[in-house]
Amino acid sequence: MMSIVLAIVIGLAFGAVLDRVGASNPNFIGKMLNLTNLNLAKSIMLAIGIGSVLMFGGQMLGLVDVGHMSVKSAYAGVFIGGLMLGAGWALAGYCPGTGVVAAASGRKDALFFIAGGLLGAAAYMMTYPAWKNSGLLDGFAGGKVTLGTVPGAKYDGLTAFPGDILGLLLGAVFIAVAFALPERIMTAKSKAQPAE
Amino acid sequence: MPLNWKAGGLLLGLVFFLAVLLVKPIGVSTQFVILDGIVGDAVNSELVTQTDEGYTSTNAYLAKSNGKYAKSVANPLNYSFVFVLAMALGGFLSMRLRGGLDQAERSMPALWRANFGDSTFKRYALVFLGGFVVLYGARLAGGCTSGHMMSGMMQTSLSGYVFAAGAFAAGVPVSLMLFKKEA
């Protein structure tokens, strides 16, 4: 019961924040990915950095349960799937979470995204044995690993570097990059120049 | 208008931290599979079945990891599924509080309209295709933007970096090709 209450509270907050940062607005996803407005990318980098610093800092102080970490396996299919997701994300302007939030906030096109997504997920469920047999789902570099070795975690480290310290450092790097990233990379297309 | 990037990033970071502090890292895309399973099991009750040890399925994907997904299909009132429903409600309330969505944006975003015209059929068909590719890819990868990219990189997990590299390696060129006009 407690877990359902937490699901509601954290889910409500997550949905509301995705709306407020503009992540569920496909205009901002499009402008981030075509490099004309990186404010959303800056928010995302800052969020990862802050999350990382608080989580690893909290672990070092004994305030955050290391057992709550959940590290996914690294395998070739992660990259292939990432490419697919990236292409569809650019086309639609939605990813799974933001598509749900967008549909709820009144975007009718997002309902088609969810319908396509349910079909895509079902297609994967049907074709999963072929991927499994291909070996592309077999973990590489240790599979479920973190970049450093996090004390007390059930996951191996890719390196022996203390994972909590590395997490703090990388968190600081993400925050620094968020500030350093320009708001725009692609220059504005110049308006047609009047003939002289 | 969205929050400025610093306030938005801070709030987003706090939510990701809160999730891992209180429960576990945020993830969404698995719930598309769970909803498919719920629908599938309603049509064909043989899809998910209870065993002595837990749950299993005639579908190999639902049955993997000792029927972890099959169990969620059989018990939809679980943390991760309710979380996604609550996300939808959060997005709805947040949009309401700031006055609702502009009428023109309801069918398609302005950036799309500037580049591809205002055919709703074209927008809906291509977004449907996009949704298919996104969720197929997310399940192949074992996570999406929230689970792999944000929760993953926040935990310094190797897979998060591999996923983000793939997502941006495809997302940026595709977007540059598609959206040449600004809106």
Side-chain angles (χ1 to χ4, degrees):
Chain A
M1 190 59 219
M2 188 57 198
S3 81
I4 297 300
V5 172
L6 286 171
I8 292 170
V9 172
I10 304 171
L12 277 172
F14 187 44
V17 172
L18 285 176
D19 174 63
R20 292 299 280 128
V21 299
S24 55
N25 180 337
N27 291 301
F28 290 118
I29 297 295
K31 290 174 189 181
M32 171 174 76
L33 293 176
N34 78 3
L35 312 177
T36 56
N37 180 347
L38 299 186
N39 277 308
L40 180 57
K42 288 160 80 77
S43 285
I44 293 172
M45 304 283 285
L46 181 62
I48 293 173
I50 286 174
S52 211
V53 167
L54 290 176
M55 187 188 80
F56 286 109
Q59 286 181 4
M60 291 165 93
L61 297 171
L63 301 172
V64 176
D65 185 353
V66 181
H68 283 189
M69 284 179 76
S70 175
V71 171
K72 295 173 189 283
S73 180
Y75 50 86
V78 172
F79 188 74
I80 303 169
L83 288 172
M84 291 181 72
L85 179 134
W89 193 26
L91 173 66
Y94 300 121
C95 56
T98 60
V100 169
V101 171
S105 70
R107 292 186 181 274
K108 278 182 267 178
D109 56 345
L111 292 170
F112 289 83
F113 177 85
I114 293 174
L118 288 168
L119 196 65
Y124 184 73
M125 289 163 71
M126 304 294 187
T127 51
Y128 167 74
W131 287 105
K132 184 81 186 150
N133 292 331
S134 72
L136 292 168
L137 306 185
D138 299 343
F140 62 63
K144 293 185 177 185
V145 293
T146 47
L147 300 181
T149 304
V150 181
K154 53 183 183 275
Y155 305 102
D156 288 331
L158 189 62
T159 65
F161 200 87
D164 44 3
I165 295 173
L166 187 63
L168 280 183
L169 289 174
L170 285 173
V173 169
F174 272 103
I175 295 170
V177 172
F179 276 90
L181 211 60
E183 285 193 11
R184 169 174 196 128
I185 291 177
M186 296 299 282
T187 49
K189 294 240 168 51
S190 56
K191 297 272 191 310
Q193 297 293 322
E196 287 180 34
Chain B
M1 280 304 290
L3 291 172
N4 80 57
W5 72 268
K6 284 177 217 161
L10 176 64
L11 286 174
L12 195 56
L14 287 175
V15 173
F16 272 88
F17 170 65
L18 212 62
V20 82
L21 172 70
L22 298 173
V23 191
K24 62 176 182 176
I26 288 175
V28 176
S29 68
T30 306
Q31 304 318 310
F32 280 74
V33 169
I34 303 306
L35 183 53
D36 278 335
I38 292 169
V39 173
D41 195 48
V43 175
N44 165 21
S45 60
E46 305 285 297
L47 182 65
V48 171
T49 44
Q50 196 157 9
T51 64
D52 293 340
E53 296 92 39
Y55 292 87
T56 191
S57 172
T58 49
N59 178 270
Y61 191 60
L62 290 178
K64 84 179 182 102
S65 309
N66 295 319
K68 186 175 66 174
Y69 294 159
K71 185 182 174 197
S72 297
V73 168
N75 307 283
L77 208 63
N78 63 72
Y79 175 83
S80 300
F81 196 70
V82 172
F83 178 87
V84 173
L85 298 179
M87 265 178 85
L89 185 59
F92 170 80
L93 293 174
S94 170
M95 180 59 86
R96 271 310 180 79
L97 285 173
R98 59 195 185 92
L101 185 64
D102 187 66
Q103 196 60 40
E105 283 285 307
R106 287 178 179 271
S107 54
M108 70 185 78
L111 182 63
W112 180 277
R113 193 173 269 120
N115 284 275
F116 300 106
D118 48 14
S119 158
T120 49
F121 177 78
K122 191 168 158 190
R123 170 65 182 166
Y124 294 166
L126 288 168
V127 167
F128 183 88
L129 174 70
F132 185 96
V133 177
V134 165
L135 263 300
Y136 194 96
R139 287 338 297 158
L140 171 58
C144 61
T145 331
S146 49
H148 255 315
M149 193 184 293
M150 301 209 48
S151 301
M153 291 205 289
M154 163 183 152
Q155 297 177 89
T156 71
S157 99
L158 174 64
S159 57
Y161 284 86
V162 173
F163 178 83
F168 285 102
V172 170
V174 169
S175 189
L176 285 171
M177 274 188 292
L178 289 177
F179 302 109
K180 294 207 164 78
K181 291 189 195 134
E182 294 192 35

